Amino acid sequence: MAAYDKAYERSRNALDSALLVMGRTLPRPSVVRTAMGEAYRYKEESPQQALVLKCVRMLSALKALRALLAQGLVLDAGSMMRISDEVGADIMFIAGPILFNHPPEPRHKQFLQELFQEEFGPRNPLPSRIKRDRVSRRHIRAYIARTFSAAESDTSTVVAVTELIDGVFSGFIHGAGAHVMDSFDGVDFHTELSQSSHPLAAMKDQFSHYIQRTIMGFCFSAKAMGREDVFQALYKLNGELFDEYGELIRQTAAQSPLSS
């Protein structure tokens, strides 16, 4: 098994176990009646329950990213990277007040209300879709920059850089022409790129970063839930696999995970 594969398999197994523990730590979902029928919902709608939902989404995105890269579906892999980045930011935003022991801001309440909001009202779904009051990405980026960055960091620069990266990867979601052109090989367009293609190789090089970011998203979440055992286990795994810059440690980085 390739070195990146080993890192992914170790991480996936650890994250699956962590999700199981974190999900069972909190009050369990209850069956409620919605416009679309009975469904499970969190009645308490707490920040910790929101973190569980975001961890589910982030881990699913990591698994999907690996599968898409293995099939050469670089455009969809880019979309998964953008989704993972956004969910990771959501986790930091939700966990921030708990981790740093400061009062939540009004936008934290707004974020949770929108997150747990139903898609439809109690009437016929067609005319009753509920309008959403989302916290803007820019406000989330700004909160993370001033809360998680080093004291000497320029918050506006951190926000600008994050905004730039998010904007570039958003092109994979809405089908920006520059991104789609990567599927052209000089003769024809292809939705499944060969394993030797440069655009796919460039995306594969990013894969380990998304393993590391998913682990850290789970670390923040476990810490905010008071699951120090889960935090310590994942933080230890992160230290064994990645250096301080988030790069896969050299002795485990001999080969791309998706080359076969």
Side-chain angles (χ1 to χ4, degrees):
M1 182 184 292
Y4 277 102
D5 276 327
K6 293 179 181 178
Y8 170 76
E9 292 298 334
R10 284 187 65 190
S11 301
R12 187 196 64 181
N13 291 335
L15 293 167
D16 279 336
S17 297
L19 183 61
L20 185 65
V21 172
M22 291 190 292
R24 293 182 177 181
T25 297
L26 307 174
R28 306 291 279 166
S30 303
V31 177
V32 301
R33 181 166 293 280
T34 72
M36 305 303 290
E38 290 188 343
Y40 286 106
R41 295 290 187 270
Y42 279 126
K43 288 186 175 180
E44 297 81 9
E45 300 184 351
S46 70
Q48 291 81 1
Q49 289 167 330
L51 288 169
V52 168
L53 298 181
K54 292 296 181 179
C55 283
V56 171
R57 187 66 190 93
M58 197 171 192
L59 180 53
S60 179
L62 179 66
K63 294 177 179 181
L65 173 57
R66 185 178 188 272
L68 290 166
L69 288 174
Q71 295 300 315
L73 297 169
V74 65
L75 298 175
D76 299 282
S79 297
M80 278 300 122
M81 289 178 175
R82 177 67 183 86
I83 289 170
S84 181
D85 289 339
E86 186 167 306
V87 176
D90 289 344
I91 287 174
M92 296 173 74
F93 181 76
I94 298 166
I98 304 171
L99 297 178
F100 294 96
N101 194 29
H102 61 63
E105 300 176 2
R107 288 194 179 95
H108 286 94
K109 180 179 179 181
Q110 177 188 349
F111 184 95
L112 291 176
Q113 287 177 335
E114 191 274 331
L115 174 65
F116 288 109
Q117 176 182 316
E118 293 292 333
E119 287 291 340
F120 303 103
R123 304 187 190 91
N124 179 5
L126 187 60
S128 67
R129 190 170 188 274
I130 301 172
K131 184 177 180 181
R132 291 192 172 273
D133 182 23
R134 287 192 172 93
V135 178
S136 74
R137 284 288 119 192
R138 185 161 185 82
H139 286 138
I140 291 174
R141 294 185 195 107
Y143 174 83
I144 292 171
R146 68 175 183 269
T147 303
F148 287 83
S149 299
E152 65 274 11
S153 298
D154 179 358
T155 299
S156 62
T157 300
V158 173
V159 171
V161 170
T162 307
E163 201 168 55
L164 174 63
I165 294 170
D166 286 352
V168 170
F169 277 87
S170 291
F172 287 107
I173 293 178
H174 62 71
H179 293 68
V180 179
M181 285 304 303
D182 280 342
S183 66
F184 186 72
D185 66 359
V187 179
D188 297 301
F189 285 97
H190 302 274
T191 56
E192 299 177 22
L193 302 189
S194 68
Q195 293 298 322
S196 61
S197 70
H198 174 70
L200 183 58
M203 296 294 280
K204 286 180 181 180
D205 288 342
Q206 296 296 314
F207 180 66
S208 65
H209 294 283
Y210 284 88
I211 300 175
Q212 195 268 344
R213 291 174 196 175
T214 304
I215 292 174
M216 290 310 301
F218 271 63
C219 281
F220 291 138
S221 299
K223 194 79 168 178
M225 291 178 202
R227 291 304 309 230
E228 188 67 21
D229 54 340
V230 176
F231 168 80
Q232 290 294 342
L234 292 177
Y235 194 75
K236 180 175 182 291
L237 175 64
N238 182 71
E240 292 172 356
L241 295 177
F242 301 96
D243 64 20
E244 59 183 314
Y245 303 106
E247 298 286 345
L248 199 60
I249 292 175
R250 183 177 300 275
Q251 60 263 29
T252 64
Q255 187 177 340
S256 170
L258 306 159
S259 56
S260 59

